[in-house]
C-alpha cells in the first residue's frame, strides 16, 4: 500500500500546476475506489503477483454466502500447485507464475465482468466508465492497473463457460475448463481458445448408456436440468443410447430457474415414474441442488424403489441438502476420474488455523468444520491455532476429480508456456514465437494445446484438435449409506474409456449393492421367447407375436422369424426345424398290391391270348379281325396293364415322371388309333387312299396310318417336354409329411399332347357307333363300339376325379383308370374272340359260311310254326338283315339261288 501511495505522489509531482486541482481530485477519487476494491476483494479474490498471471474462477461460495467446501479446498490447491511450479527448477526457469483466484459465486454477471476486465487489457484504446476499475481511462491510471492475465482457469459450469469462452476467444486468450463439460464447447469455430481437462458430456452420456446396457436396461427415465449442461447431456445420451437400443420412458429438462414451473414438472414426472413400476432406473443429469429437489419430491410421493444414476455434477456433498439419504442407497455415481493424491491430502490435513489465515476461504472451512471462530466472538468457541481438518470432513467435502482437473489445468498452462519460451516445437510458419511479455494469446494457446504431461495420479494428459482430452475416462461408483453415521460412501465398481466404449470394465471381486437387494427391472416389454418375434414401433417397446406357420425363431428377443429350408418343417412351438418325412407310392401298399396283382394277371392273360391268337392266326376269326391291328390292340392292352404297375411301383424321379407322363399319352393314342383303323369307315378311306397313292403298300396302309399317328404324337410330346417337362415335386400333405410326386401342371404343350389322343378316340367312337349294327367280322364293329364308349365314359369320370385328387390319391386314380381301360378292351374285344375260339370253335368259319348258315336259319324260322322256337347264335339278335347284308348277299353267286324253307327238326 505504501508503494502505491508513493507512486501516486511521484505521479502528482509531474502534473502541471494548471491542472493540479483537477488531477488531485481525480487522484483522490481513484484512491478511494482502490481502497474500496481492495476491501471488497478480500472476500472475492486472492491475488499473488508474477511474471505470468493465471486467473482461476472458482464458485467458493454461493450468492447467499454459503461456503462450498470442495472449492474452498480448490482455492488452496491452486496456490499450492503454482508454488510447486515456481519451485520447480526444470519448469519455467526465470519465470514466476502468479494467480488471481476469484470467487465467482456462480454469478454469470460477475464472471462476465471479470472476462470483460481481462479482455479490456488486450484491447487498445478502451473507452471505460469511471466505476470500471479494469479500464484504462487515461495515462494517469496506468501505474495502478494490474498486469495482464495470461490464461483463465474456469469457470465451473458450462452455462457460464459458453459466454465467457466466446468473449475470450475473440482475443485468443487461453481458457482451460476444469468442470465445464458441455459438448458444445468442443466447437472450435465458436470457442477458438477453449480447452478443458475433463471429457465432454458426449462421452459421459456414452458411458452412462453403456452402463445401462450392461444390465440389459433398455427403458429408463432421464431427468436433466434446463440449461446448457442438462440439454446437451440429454441430446448426447439419446444419441448414444439409440446405438445401443436403449430408450427413454420419458425425458425432461426441468427449468429449475423458474421454481414454480420446476415444482409442477417435477411432481408430474415423479407421478409418472410411480405409475411405471417396471422402469426402476432413472438418470439425473443435473447439479446437486437441483437433484435434491427431485429426491425430495420422490420422498414426498413415496417413490423409494428407484435406482438413480447420478451425473458427474452430483457428488457426496448432496447429503448436505435436506434429503433422505436412504433414497440414494444402491445408486450409482459417474465421474470422469476418481483417485486421491496422497501428497495433497497430507498437505491439506496439515493446515492449521494459523496457517489458513493467508487463505480466507480455507479459514472459513476450518471454522465451519471445527465449529469455532478464529476471532474472539461472544457465544462461540475460539479456534485454537493448531487445530486441523479431520479425515471425515476432508472426505465429505473433497471431490478429487475436480481437484485433479484443476491441477491438470494449471499444469497445462505451465507446460505450454514453458514450451513456448523454449521454442519446443515451432509455429505453423516454421518460426519460433515471440517470447517477450506480453505474449501472443494465439501462440500460447497453440503451445498449450500441444502440451503433454503426466498428471498427479500418473495418467498422461494431452489434447485433441477440439481442445478435449485425447483419452476420455470415467469411473462408476456405487453409492452406499452408512446407516449408523448417516453418511454416504462412494465405492468404485467400474471404469469406462473411450478406447473401449461398448461396455464398462467392472472391477474384480466387487459386489454391487442395490436399493432393494436385487437388480432392478428397466424394460418396456418382456423379452420374447423362442417361437415368437418382436413386433413394435421402437427397439424397446414391442409386442410378442407367434412366428407364422412354417417359420421359427430359436433365440430370445428375436425380431424376425426364419423359414425352414426345403425338406424341413417347423415344430408345433415354432422353435426348431424338423426333418420332413417323404411319403410316396410304394409297391408294398395295400392298394398297390391289388393293382399290381390284377395287372399281372391281365398281363399273363394277354400273353396267353396272344399266343392263342398266333397259334390260330390263319383261322377266319383272326384273319377277319386284321391280324396286325389285333396285335397292336393286344400290345396296347399289355402296355395298359404294365403302366398300372409302373404307376404304383416306380419311385418318382424326374426320368420316371417323364416316362409315366409320355407312356400314358402314347398308350392312349395307340389304343385310339388302332380302334379307329379297325372301323369300316376308316378302313375304306385308307384303302381308297392307298389305291391312289401307295399301291405297293396298300396291304399295310392301316399299320402305316397308326404309325403316322404315333410319330405325330411323339412330336407333340417332344414339344410338351421342351416347354414344360415333367419333374418331381413335393406336395405338402402336412407339416411333418410331404408327398413325392410328379408335377401336375397343365400348360399348353401338355393340353395338346393329351388332346390329340382324345380327338382320335372321339372319331373312333363316332365311327364305331355308326357301324355298330354291322354283322360282318363276327360283329366286331359292335364290340369296338362298346369298347370306345366304355373308354369315353371312363375318361369322363377320370378327369374331374383327377382334378381334385391330391397326393398318392392321384396315382391311385391314374392306375385304376388305366387298369379298368385295359380290362374294358379285354372284355369288349378280346374276350368274345377267346370265347369263340375256346367255347364255340364251330363259329370260327369264313364269313360266307357264317352268313349262309345264318340265312338258312332265318328262312326256317319264317316257314315254321309260330310256336316253334328259332335259335340264333349266341349274342345275336333275330332280325331281318340290314341293307349292308342284303347287298352283300346279292353280289354273291351262291345267293342267286332260291332258298327253300327247310323244316327244323
Amino acid at each position: 500500500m505504501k508503494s502505491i501511495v508513493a507512486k501516486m505522489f511521484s505521479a502528482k509531482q509531474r502534473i502541471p500546476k494548471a491542472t493540479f486541482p483537477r488531477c488531485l481530485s481525480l487522484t483522490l477519487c481513484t484512491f478511494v475506489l482502490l481502497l474500496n476494491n481492495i476491501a471488497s476483494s478480500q472476500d472475492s479474490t486472492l491475488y499473488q503477483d508474477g511474471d505470468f498471471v493465471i486467473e482461476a474462477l472458482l464458485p467458493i461460495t454461493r450468492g447467499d454466502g454459503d461456503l462450498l467446501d470442495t472449492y474452498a479446498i480448490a482455492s488452496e490447491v491452486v496456490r499450492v500447485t503454482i508454488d510447486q511450479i515456481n519451485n520447480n527448477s526444470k519448469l519455467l526457469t526465470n519465470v514466476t507464475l502468479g494467480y488471481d483466484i476469484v470467487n465467482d459465486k456462480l454469478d454469470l454477471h460477475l464472471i462476465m465482468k471479470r472476462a470483460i476486465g481481462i479482455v479490456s487489457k488486450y484491447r487498445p484504446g478502451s473507452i471505460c466508465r469511471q466505476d470500471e476499475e479494469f479500464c484504462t481511462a487515461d495515462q494517469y491510471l496506468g501505474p495502478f492497473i494490474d498486469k495482464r492475465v495470461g490464461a483463465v482457469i474456469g469457470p465451473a459450469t458450462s452455462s457460464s463457460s459458453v459466454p465467457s469462452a466466446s468473449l475470450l476467444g475473440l482475443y485468443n486468450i487461453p481458457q482451460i475448463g476444469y468442470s465445464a463439460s458441455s459438448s458444445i464447447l468442443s466447437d472450435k469455430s465458436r470457442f477458438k481458445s477453449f480447452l478443458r481437462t475433463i471429457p465432454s458430456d458426449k462421452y459421459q452420456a456414452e458411458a452412462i448408456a453403456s452402463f445401462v446396457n450392461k444390465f440389459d436396461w433398455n427403458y429408463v427415465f432421464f431427468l436433466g436440468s434446463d440449461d446448457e449442461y442438462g440439454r446437451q447431456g440429454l441430446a448426447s445420451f439419446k444419441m448414444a443410447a439409440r446405438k445401443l437400443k436403449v430408450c427413454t420412458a420419458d425425458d425432461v429438462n426441468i427449468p429449475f430457474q423458474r421454481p414454480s414451473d420446476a415444482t409442477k414438472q417435477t411432481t408430474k414426472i415423479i407421478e409418472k415414474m410411480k405409475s411405471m413400476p417396471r422402469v426402476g432406473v432413472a438418470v439425473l443429469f443435473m447439479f446437486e441442488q437441483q437433484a435434491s429437489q427431485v429426491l425430495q419430491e420422490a420422498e414426498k410421493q413415496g417413490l423409494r424403489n428407484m435406482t438413480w444414476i447420478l451425473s458427474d455434477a452430483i457428488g457426496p456433498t448432496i447429503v448436505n441438502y435436506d434429503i433422505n439419504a436412504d433414497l440414494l442407497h444402491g445408486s450409482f455415481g459417474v465421474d470422469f476420474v476418481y483417485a486421491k493424491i496422497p501428497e495433497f491430502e497430507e498437505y491439506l490435513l496439515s493446515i492449521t488455523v494459523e496457517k489458513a489465515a493467508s487463505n480466507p476461504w480455507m479459514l472459513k472451512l476450518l471454522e465451519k468444520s471445527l465449529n469455532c471462530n478464529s476471532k474472539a466472538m461472544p457465544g462461540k468457541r475460539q479456534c485454537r491455532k493448531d487445530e486441523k481438518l479431520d479425515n471425515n470432513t476432508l472426505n465429505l467435502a473433497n471431490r478429487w476429480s475436480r481437484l485433479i482437473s484443476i491441477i491438470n489445468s494449471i499444469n497445462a498452462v505451465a507446460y505450454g508456456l514453458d514450451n513456448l519460451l523454449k521454442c519446443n516445437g515451432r509455429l505453423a510458419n516454421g518460426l519460433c514465437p515471440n517470447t517477450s511479455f506480453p505474449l501472443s494469446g494465439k501462440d500460447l494457446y497453440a503451445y498449450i494445446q500441444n502440451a503433454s504431461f503426466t498428471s498427479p495420479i500418473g495418467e498422461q494428459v494431452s489434447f485433441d484438435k477440439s481442445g478435449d482430452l485425447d483419452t476420455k475416462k470415467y469411473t462408476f461408483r456405487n453409492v452406499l449409506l452408512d446407516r449408523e453415521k448417516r453418511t454416504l460412501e462412494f465405492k468404485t465398481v467400474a471404469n469406462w474409456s473411450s478406447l473401449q466404449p461398448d461396455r464398462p470394465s467392472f472391477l474384480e471381486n466387487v459386489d454391487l449393492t442395490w436399493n432393494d437387494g436385487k437388480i432392478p427391472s428397466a424394460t418396456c416389454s418382456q423379452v420374447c421367447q423362442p417361437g415368437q418375434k418382436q413386433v413394435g414401433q421402437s427397439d424397446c417397446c414391442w409386442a410378442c407375436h407367434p412366428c407364422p406357420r412354417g417359420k421359427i425363431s430359436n433365440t430370445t428377443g428375436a425380431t424376425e422369424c426364419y423359414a425352414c429350408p426345403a425338406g424341413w418343417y417347423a415344430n408345433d412351438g415354432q422353435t426348431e426345424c424338423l426333418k420332413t418325412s417323404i411319403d410316396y407310392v410304394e409297391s408294398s401298399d395295400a392298394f398297390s398290391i391289388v393293382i399290381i396283382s390284377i395287372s399281372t394277371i391281365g398281363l399273363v392273360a394277354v400273353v396267353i391270348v396272344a399266343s392263342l391268337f398266333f397259334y390260330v392266326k390263319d383261322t377266319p376269326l383272326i384273319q377277319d379281325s386284321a391280324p396286325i391291328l389285333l396285335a397292336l390292340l393286344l400290345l396296347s392292352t399289355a402296355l395298359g396293364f404294365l403302366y398300372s404297375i409302373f404307376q404304383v411301383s416306380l419311385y418318382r424321379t424326374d426320368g420316371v415322371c417323364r416316362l409315366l407322363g409320355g407312356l400314358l399319352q402314347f398308350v392312349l393314342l395307340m389304343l385310339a388309333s388302332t380302334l379307329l383303323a379297325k372301323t369300316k369307315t376308316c378302313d375304306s378311306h385308307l384303302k381308297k387312299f392307298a389305291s391312289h397313292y401307295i399301291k405297293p403298300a396298300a396291304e399295310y396302309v392301316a399299320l402305316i396310318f397308326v404309325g403316322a399317328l404315333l410319330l405325330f404324337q411323339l412330336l407333340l410330346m417332344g414339344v410338351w417336354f421342351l416347354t414344360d417337362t415333367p419333374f418331381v415335386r413335393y406336395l405338402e400333405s402336412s407339416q411333418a409329411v410331404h408327398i413325392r410326386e410328379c408335377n401336375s401342371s397343365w400348360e399348353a404343350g401338355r393340353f395338346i399332347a393329351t388332346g390329340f389322343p382324345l380327338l382320335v378316340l372321339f372319331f373312333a367312337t363316332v365311327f364305331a357307333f355308326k357301324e355298330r349294327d354291322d354283322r360282318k367280322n363276327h360283329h366286331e364293329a359292335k364290340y369296338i363300339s362298346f369298347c370306345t364308349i366304355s373308354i369315353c365314359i371312363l375318361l369322363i369320370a377320370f378327369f374331374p376325379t383327377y382334378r381334385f385328387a391330391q397326393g398318392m390319391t392321384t396315382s391311385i386314380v391314374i392306375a385304376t383308370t388305366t387298369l379298368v381301360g385295359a380290362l374294358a378292351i379285354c372284355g369288349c374285344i378280346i374276350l368274345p374272340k377267346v370265347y369263340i375260339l375256346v367255347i364255340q370253335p364251330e363259329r370260327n368259319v369264313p364269313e360266307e359260311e357264317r352268313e349262309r348258315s345264318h340265312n338258312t336259319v332265318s328262312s326256317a324260322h319264317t316257314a315254321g310254326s309260330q310256336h316253334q322256337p328259332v335259335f340264333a347264335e349266341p349274342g345275336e339278335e333275330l332280325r331281318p338283315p340290314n341293307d349292308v347284308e342284303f347287298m352283300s348277299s346279292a353280289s354273291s353267286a351262291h345267293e342267286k339261288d332260291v332258298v327253300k324253307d327247310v323244316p327244323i327238326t
Side-chain angles (χ1 to χ4, degrees):
M1 183 63 67
K2 291 181 181 180
S3 62
I4 295 176
V5 174
K7 289 180 181 180
M8 290 179 61
F9 280 107
S10 63
K12 176 182 175 182
Q13 293 175 359
R14 294 194 297 270
I15 300 174
K17 295 182 179 180
T19 60
F20 181 77
R22 181 174 65 83
C23 290
L24 179 61
S25 176
L26 180 60
T27 302
L28 291 175
C29 291
T30 303
F31 184 73
V32 172
L33 289 174
L34 182 59
L35 291 177
N36 289 336
N37 290 333
I38 292 174
S40 62
S41 66
Q42 292 179 355
D43 186 56
S44 60
T45 63
L46 191 61
Y47 182 81
Q48 176 179 297
D49 197 6
D51 298 318
F52 186 88
V53 178
I54 299 174
E55 181 164 305
L57 299 173
L58 304 174
I60 301 172
T61 64
R62 295 191 179 89
D64 56 3
D66 188 16
L67 186 70
L68 298 178
D69 301 349
T70 299
Y71 289 101
I73 295 175
S75 66
E76 187 65 20
V77 169
V78 171
R79 298 177 64 197
V80 174
T81 302
I82 291 179
D83 287 343
Q84 288 179 345
I85 293 172
N86 289 332
N87 295 328
N88 189 342
S89 59
K90 297 181 180 180
L91 189 64
L92 292 178
T93 307
N94 299 325
V95 174
T96 302
L97 291 183
Y99 57 78
D100 188 5
I101 304 174
V102 179
N103 175 19
D104 61 31
K105 304 178 184 180
L106 293 174
D107 185 353
L108 180 59
H109 174 73
L110 177 59
I111 292 171
M112 292 306 298
K113 185 177 181 180
R114 298 294 303 188
I116 294 172
I118 295 170
V119 167
S120 66
K121 298 174 184 180
Y122 285 82
R123 184 179 63 183
S126 298
I127 300 175
C128 304
R129 299 191 301 269
Q130 291 182 355
D131 61 344
E132 293 177 338
E133 71 276 8
F134 46 75
C135 287
T136 306
D138 56 36
Q139 58 178 334
Y140 302 109
L141 292 181
F144 308 106
I145 296 177
D146 298 337
K147 292 182 178 180
R148 285 183 177 182
V149 171
V152 177
I153 307 297
T157 63
S158 297
S159 57
S160 300
S161 296
V162 168
S164 61
S166 298
L167 178 60
L168 295 175
L170 294 175
Y171 296 91
N172 298 306
I173 302 172
Q175 180 182 359
I176 299 90
Y178 59 82
S179 183
S181 54
S182 174
S183 58
I184 197 174
L185 289 167
S186 299
D187 185 359
K188 290 292 100 178
S189 64
R190 296 177 57 187
F191 311 102
K192 298 179 181 179
S193 60
F194 184 84
L195 303 101
R196 52 185 164 192
T197 53
I198 65 168
S200 163
D201 283 336
K202 170 187 175 183
Y203 299 99
Q204 180 181 186
E206 289 184 10
I208 294 175
S210 66
F211 185 81
V212 168
N213 188 55
K214 169 70 177 178
F215 297 101
D216 296 326
W217 299 330
N218 64 358
Y219 206 56
V220 299
F221 287 98
F222 187 97
L223 281 67
S225 53
D226 191 17
D227 51 25
E228 195 68 36
Y229 178 72
R231 287 191 295 269
Q232 291 296 326
L234 173 58
S236 300
F237 177 80
K238 295 181 74 172
M239 183 179 299
R242 190 179 298 113
K243 296 178 182 178
L244 299 174
K245 295 185 178 181
V246 175
C247 306
T248 55
D250 197 0
D251 51 80
V252 58
N253 291 108
I254 303 174
F256 291 103
Q257 65 274 21
R258 300 192 301 274
S260 59
D261 293 342
T263 300
K264 292 179 181 178
Q265 203 159 6
T266 303
T267 301
K268 184 178 179 180
I269 190 65
I270 295 298
E271 289 176 350
K272 184 171 184 179
M273 294 167 74
K274 287 182 62 180
S275 67
M276 301 177 69
R278 293 182 58 188
V279 186
V281 178
V283 179
L284 294 182
F285 214 94
M286 55 187 65
F287 299 99
E288 289 180 346
Q289 184 178 9
Q290 299 165 342
S292 67
Q293 297 181 35
V294 175
L295 295 174
Q296 288 169 5
E297 183 62 30
E299 171 68 16
K300 180 180 177 181
Q301 296 193 29
L303 181 62
R304 296 178 176 273
N305 59 346
M306 184 65 62
T307 296
W308 306 93
I309 299 178
L310 313 175
S311 68
D312 64 347
I314 305 172
T317 53
I318 193 173
V319 296
N320 296 337
Y321 297 91
D322 186 18
I323 63 169
N324 184 355
D326 290 289
L327 295 177
L328 291 175
H329 181 69
S331 296
F332 294 88
V334 59
D335 214 339
F336 52 87
V337 70
Y338 184 78
K340 292 184 178 181
I341 309 174
E343 57 269 25
F344 274 96
E345 185 176 25
E346 182 180 352
Y347 169 78
L348 293 172
L349 291 174
S350 68
I351 296 177
T352 62
V353 174
E354 183 178 10
K355 289 182 180 180
S358 60
N359 186 342
W361 300 303
M362 278 300 295
L363 184 59
K364 283 187 177 182
L365 177 61
L366 283 166
E367 291 175 344
K368 176 182 176 182
S369 60
L370 300 174
N371 194 20
C372 62
N373 195 284
S374 59
K375 298 178 181 179
M377 295 183 64
K380 201 162 189 178
R381 182 179 71 85
Q382 185 175 2
C383 302
R384 299 193 312 271
K385 292 183 179 181
D386 60 347
E387 287 190 85
K388 305 175 183 178
L389 291 173
D390 57 13
N391 281 318
N392 291 333
T393 303
L394 185 61
N395 289 334
L396 180 64
N398 191 13
R399 290 291 300 279
W400 284 104
S401 59
R402 294 292 180 270
L403 299 182
I404 292 172
S405 181
I406 291 173
I407 294 171
N408 288 339
S409 299
I410 297 172
N411 284 334
V413 175
Y415 279 92
L417 178 60
D418 185 64
N419 290 334
L420 183 149
L421 296 176
K422 295 177 181 178
C423 192
N424 289 337
R426 297 178 181 271
L427 298 175
N429 56 13
L431 302 176
C432 286
N434 172 42
T435 57
S436 60
F437 292 96
L439 302 173
S440 166
K442 185 176 182 180
D443 293 347
L444 179 58
Y445 173 81
Y447 275 90
I448 295 175
Q449 188 176 21
N450 292 325
S452 178
F453 57 93
T454 303
S455 72
I457 60 175
E459 293 186 344
Q460 194 68 21
V461 178
S462 58
F463 302 96
D464 59 20
K465 294 181 179 180
S466 299
D468 294 328
L469 290 174
D470 274 328
T471 303
K472 294 82 177 176
K473 296 182 178 179
Y474 284 93
T475 61
F476 287 90
R477 294 180 287 165
N478 203 183
V479 182
L480 309 176
L481 174 64
D482 188 336
R483 301 188 185 279
E484 295 181 358
K485 300 178 181 179
R486 303 304 296 175
T487 58
L488 292 178
E489 298 178 3
F490 282 65
K491 179 177 68 175
T492 301
V493 295
N495 296 309
W496 181 91
S497 172
S498 59
L499 301 178
Q500 296 178 340
D502 293 338
R503 295 220 169 205
S505 175
F506 280 79
L507 303 182
E508 296 182 0
N509 302 322
V510 174
D511 295 327
L512 302 180
T513 301
W514 306 98
N515 55 359
D516 276 349
K518 61 181 180 180
I519 300 178
S521 171
T523 58
C524 177
S525 303
Q526 292 287 356
V527 177
C528 295
Q529 299 302 311
Q532 300 175 328
K533 67 174 180 177
Q534 296 178 182
V535 179
Q537 296 181 351
S538 71
D539 293 327
C540 307
C541 295
W542 57 78
C544 294
H545 288 185
C547 289
R549 183 174 179 269
K551 293 187 177 182
I552 67 160
S553 66
N554 53 12
T555 59
T556 58
T559 57
E560 292 184 10
C561 296
Y562 301 94
C564 291
W568 297 76
Y569 71 98
N571 64 346
D572 293 338
Q574 307 292 98
T575 58
E576 62 177 330
C577 291
L578 303 177
K579 184 70 175 178
T580 303
S581 298
I582 304 300
D583 199 3
Y584 50 88
V585 179
E586 295 185 82
S587 58
S588 59
D589 295 336
F591 63 85
S592 298
I593 293 175
V594 173
I595 291 176
I596 291 173
S597 300
I598 297 175
S599 297
T600 303
I601 294 173
L603 274 174
V604 173
V606 169
V607 172
I608 294 173
V609 169
S611 301
L612 176 62
F613 285 176
F614 182 79
Y615 181 74
V616 296
K617 62 180 183 299
D618 295 327
T619 62
L621 179 65
I622 302 302
Q623 292 298 319
D624 289 346
S625 299
I628 295 178
L629 296 181
L630 184 60
L632 290 177
L633 193 63
L634 288 173
L635 179 60
S636 300
T637 306
L639 290 176
F641 287 126
L642 190 62
Y643 182 85
S644 298
I645 295 175
F646 288 165
Q647 187 65 235
V648 296
S649 62
L650 291 181
Y651 180 76
R652 298 299 190 264
T653 63
D654 289 344
V656 169
C657 288
R658 297 185 184 99
L659 172 65
L660 294 177
L663 182 59
L664 180 61
Q665 317 298 335
F666 189 82
V667 171
L668 181 60
L669 180 63
M670 180 182 288
L671 172 63
S673 60
T674 302
L675 293 176
L676 177 62
K678 287 178 69 66
T679 61
K680 186 174 182 179
T681 304
C682 181
D683 181 64
S684 63
H685 284 86
L686 289 175
K687 289 179 178 179
K688 185 183 295 185
F689 175 81
S691 63
H692 287 83
Y693 299 103
I694 51 174
K695 289 182 180 180
E699 183 180 356
Y700 304 101
V701 65
L703 181 62
I704 294 172
F705 173 71
V706 174
L709 294 181
L710 291 177
L711 288 175
F712 186 71
Q713 177 65 19
L714 290 175
L715 177 62
L716 295 180
M717 287 194 302
V719 174
W720 169 28
F721 285 1
L722 289 175
T723 57
D724 183 36
T725 182
F727 59 89
V728 173
R729 73 163 185 177
Y730 292 93
L731 177 67
E732 185 177 345
S733 175
S734 65
Q735 283 191 349
V737 179
H738 287 182
I739 297 176
R740 186 182 180 93
E741 63 171 13
C742 298
N743 70 312
S744 58
S745 61
W746 284 84
E747 301 296 337
R750 187 172 186 179
F751 268 112
I752 295 173
T754 305
F756 181 67
L758 296 178
L759 180 64
V760 174
L761 179 63
F762 171 75
F763 284 111
T765 303
V766 172
F767 292 165
F769 183 77
K770 291 176 63 176
E771 301 168 7
R772 65 188 183 279
D773 293 329
D774 187 359
R775 303 178 62 87
K776 289 184 177 182
N777 298 335
H778 300 274
H779 286 202
E780 191 174 29
K782 177 177 64 175
Y783 299 135
I784 293 175
S785 177
F786 287 161
C787 182
T788 56
I789 292 174
S790 299
I791 294 175
C792 288
I793 294 173
L794 184 63
L795 291 178
I796 291 173
F798 165 75
F799 282 108
T801 306
Y802 176 80
R803 171 63 180 82
F804 294 102
Q806 288 187 346
M808 290 183 292
T809 306
T810 304
S811 298
I812 297 173
V813 170
I814 296 175
T816 304
T817 303
T818 307
L819 177 61
V820 173
L823 293 175
I825 298 172
C826 291
C828 295
I829 298 178
I830 298 175
L831 188 59
K833 298 182 184 300
V834 173
Y835 178 81
I836 293 174
L837 291 174
V838 176
I839 305 302
Q840 294 183 339
E842 66 276 7
R843 295 179 55 192
N844 188 7
V845 295
E847 185 69 23
E848 294 82 358
E849 295 182 15
R850 182 174 174 274
E851 289 297 326
R852 187 182 307 112
S853 175
H854 172 72
N855 292 334
T856 302
V857 173
S858 299
S859 301
H861 169 68
T862 304
S865 171
Q866 295 181 354
H867 302 285
Q868 293 291 331
V870 179
F871 296 96
E873 292 181 0
E876 295 185 3
E877 297 179 0
L878 296 175
R879 56 188 176 186
N882 54 25
D883 295 338
V884 176
E885 292 173 337
F886 177 77
M887 292 174 63
S888 177
S889 300
S891 61
S892 177
H894 297 285
E895 296 298 328
K896 294 181 179 179
D897 298 333
V898 177
V899 181
K900 298 182 179 179
D901 294 337
V902 179
I904 299 175
T905 58

